[in-house]
Amino acid sequence: MTSQRPTSSDPRRAIPSTDRLLALPEVVAAGQRLAPQVIRRLITELQATARRGEIPPEAVEPRTVEAVQTARSSELSTVLNATGVVIHTNLGRAPLSNPARQALQTAAGYVDLELDLDDGKRSKRGAWAQAALLAKAPDAQDALIVNNGAAALSLATTALAVGQGSPEVIISRGELVEIGAGFRLPDLITSTGTRLAEVGTTNRTTLADYRSAITEHTGALLKVHPSNYWIGGFNATVTTKQLGALAAEKGLPLVVDVGSGLFEPDPVLPDEPTIAQALRDGADVVISSGDKLLGGPQAGLILGSKAALHKLAKHPLARAFRADKFTLAALEATLNAPSTPVYDALHADIEVLYARSSRIAEALDADVVPHQGRVGGGGGAGVPLAGWAVSVPESFARRLRTGSPAILPRVAEGRCLLDLRCVPPGHDDVILQRLKDLAAEDAA
């Protein structure tokens, strides 16, 4: 079936041609910001809308001007996080500090990524980021940075087991976790040929379970922090210190994945394992993510002994998993900065949060209600962050999400709740004005 061609009297003949629209001064000016194919797509879509009769032909030209002036080269939108979840995976996990953002600007151009400017010769890639990481973890002899935590775990188990001819890694059944979006650590580890020797049960694993599982095929012992769940009641686990002693006795490397990447103890997270303690307890390799409690970019941080890290760095997967210049730049700046938005949100003053919330609520004749935030990102599972939230009608939620800037609240028990823990104070007036506008819309 062929499409019907417009007749001489058909109003669709009045739809402006592509050449005419491309010649508009505003469209030509937009070519400084947008690629030609983007502009042509916007024009084609509007012409098609007019051919379907959804807009009159005379509206195509002004709509084209509006479209090219408002179009952006990236579809990512800034979001104000009013959920109270600090490390929000759906919002890109950790927001970067200002020094880290500035480092990304520097990295956008030519930089001395693998160059010694003094002698003009090639240097070690990202040595400055590695030095900053080792300064943060003085108990580590060496460090390696890869593109994410999953890559770090895959590289460590592969290089220390399969790569050494002993393709089996021993792990407790209580640590065979799923890390989100359907990805399971057992599948990740075994995808490169590593075999898992599962010991103990879901709720109880003892040191004797590990000891009895060691054979000539054992390449490493592995301990994984469950991160996003915990087991209570009748349970038993083996500590890193106990495993470290067993690994040293048997001449095996111990790999410990601490998950969220807390370097030193924090009273806000009393049960969260730390990188420093894992190293002191005898781990040869300690793995964590960079975009969680550290508050940096997505990265896999690997710290440990020189012997173990040398094996990882020389493995072919290290090239496939290596971090790019943006990750290295933002990570170094994060490590060298005095604080991060994640740290500040976790340690927010509850009285200040109440005062900020009350100011907004009073201007709207709304309520301030107690609200428990969360660490998020698999860190501090079950740890509540006491705070407050401005309570407004549930009907506000979608309009807050779809406005500009987007504001993400929490919806619970038929109310829209805005927790300011993760909202920079300078944006309080933005939220207040948006809420006033929505209230006025509903009152009209």
Side-chain angles (χ1 to χ4, degrees):
M1 182 176 179
T2 59
S3 59
Q4 185 178 1
R5 296 176 62 85
T7 64
S8 59
S9 60
D10 194 318
R12 288 177 292 178
R13 285 189 174 277
I15 297 173
S17 68
T18 300
D19 288 343
R20 175 181 164 185
L21 295 171
L22 286 171
L24 293 172
E26 297 88 349
V27 176
V28 173
Q32 300 298 313
R33 297 183 297 105
L34 302 172
Q37 71 271 15
V38 175
I39 294 175
R40 283 184 173 273
R41 175 176 54 79
L42 294 172
I43 289 173
T44 300
E45 289 174 353
L46 284 168
Q47 289 171 328
T49 302
R51 291 190 187 97
R52 292 192 299 269
E54 297 173 12
I55 61 173
E58 59 270 20
V60 173
E61 185 171 314
R63 292 281 188 93
T64 298
V65 171
E66 180 184 3
V68 298
Q69 288 179 335
T70 58
R72 300 178 301 165
S73 55
S74 172
E75 290 296 324
L76 278 177
S77 297
T78 297
V79 178
L80 293 180
N81 177 12
T83 64
V85 179
V86 179
I87 305 168
H88 201 302
T89 298
N90 301 126
L91 297 181
R93 291 185 178 165
L96 295 180
S97 64
N98 285 331
R101 297 182 187 208
Q102 293 165 7
L104 290 176
Q105 290 280 353
T106 300
Y110 291 119
V111 291
D112 54 340
L113 179 67
E114 298 182 34
L115 179 68
D116 186 326
L117 293 175
D118 184 48
D119 61 18
K121 296 179 180 179
R122 184 168 184 165
S123 64
K124 184 177 180 180
R125 181 185 181 89
W128 22 270
Q130 181 192 43
L133 185 55
L134 287 171
K136 184 79 170 180
D139 293 290
Q141 297 176 358
D142 204 355
L144 184 63
I145 303 163
V146 293
N147 56 14
N148 62 30
L153 182 57
S154 179
L155 175 60
T157 53
T158 303
L160 295 178
V162 179
Q164 303 304 310
S166 301
E168 196 167 81
V169 171
I170 301 176
I171 185 173
S172 167
R173 288 189 173 91
E175 298 171 3
L176 297 174
V177 300
E178 183 174 307
I179 58 177
F183 290 99
R184 296 176 173 177
L185 291 190
D187 298 337
L188 173 72
I189 295 168
T190 58
S191 66
T192 59
T194 305
R195 294 199 305 267
L196 287 178
E198 303 172 14
V199 299
T201 62
T202 301
N203 61 317
R204 289 182 66 82
T205 302
T206 67
L207 187 63
D209 292 325
Y210 286 91
R211 183 181 294 277
S212 63
I214 295 174
T215 71
E216 67 273 14
H217 301 297
T218 303
L221 305 183
L222 173 61
K223 184 172 181 60
V224 175
H225 179 49
S227 296
N228 54 7
Y229 81 95
W230 66 99
I231 298 174
F234 185 61
N235 71 91
T237 58
V238 181
T239 67
T240 299
K241 191 169 186 177
Q242 290 173 310
L243 284 179
L246 178 61
E249 175 191 333
K250 298 296 184 179
L252 293 169
L254 170 61
V255 179
V256 177
D257 186 342
V258 298
S260 294
L262 190 64
F263 277 76
E264 295 287 352
D266 188 325
V268 174
L269 304 168
D271 298 321
E272 192 73 18
T274 67
I275 292 171
Q277 193 60 52
L279 289 166
R280 293 169 193 151
D281 285 346
D284 298 280
V285 174
V286 180
I287 294 166
S288 75
S289 296
D291 56 347
K292 295 183 180 179
L293 292 176
L294 176 60
Q298 177 176 294
L301 311 181
I302 310 174
L303 298 117
S305 69
K306 282 190 176 296
L309 269 290
H310 178 76
K311 292 176 182 177
L312 270 61
K314 293 299 182 181
H315 194 277
L317 281 180
R319 172 76 180 196
F321 293 156
R322 75 177 186 177
D324 68 359
K325 63 177 181 177
F326 295 102
T327 297
L328 295 171
L331 178 61
E332 181 201 21
T334 298
L335 291 163
N336 290 336
S339 187
T340 66
V342 165
Y343 182 89
D344 295 341
L346 288 175
H347 299 84
D349 188 319
I350 191 171
E351 293 183 2
V352 173
L353 290 176
Y354 182 77
R356 291 172 59 194
S357 301
S358 296
R359 173 176 169 269
I360 292 176
E362 289 169 4
L364 298 165
D365 195 23
D367 295 324
V368 175
V369 297
H371 185 255
Q372 289 189 345
R374 287 291 184 268
V375 178
V383 176
L385 300 175
W388 305 93
V390 179
S391 176
V392 294
E394 183 178 1
S395 61
F396 282 23
R398 184 179 185 280
R399 288 178 286 172
L400 287 171
R401 294 195 307 268
T402 57
S404 181
I407 301 172
L408 184 65
R410 179 178 176 230
V411 176
E413 299 179 356
R415 301 293 291 174
C416 174
L417 304 176
L418 294 100
D419 186 324
L420 303 180
R421 177 178 295 274
C422 305
V423 177
H427 289 82
D428 286 2
D429 286 340
V430 173
I431 290 180
L432 175 57
Q433 188 58 54
R434 289 284 302 284
L435 292 174
K436 283 183 175 180
D437 292 344
L438 295 181
E441 287 178 12
D442 288 353

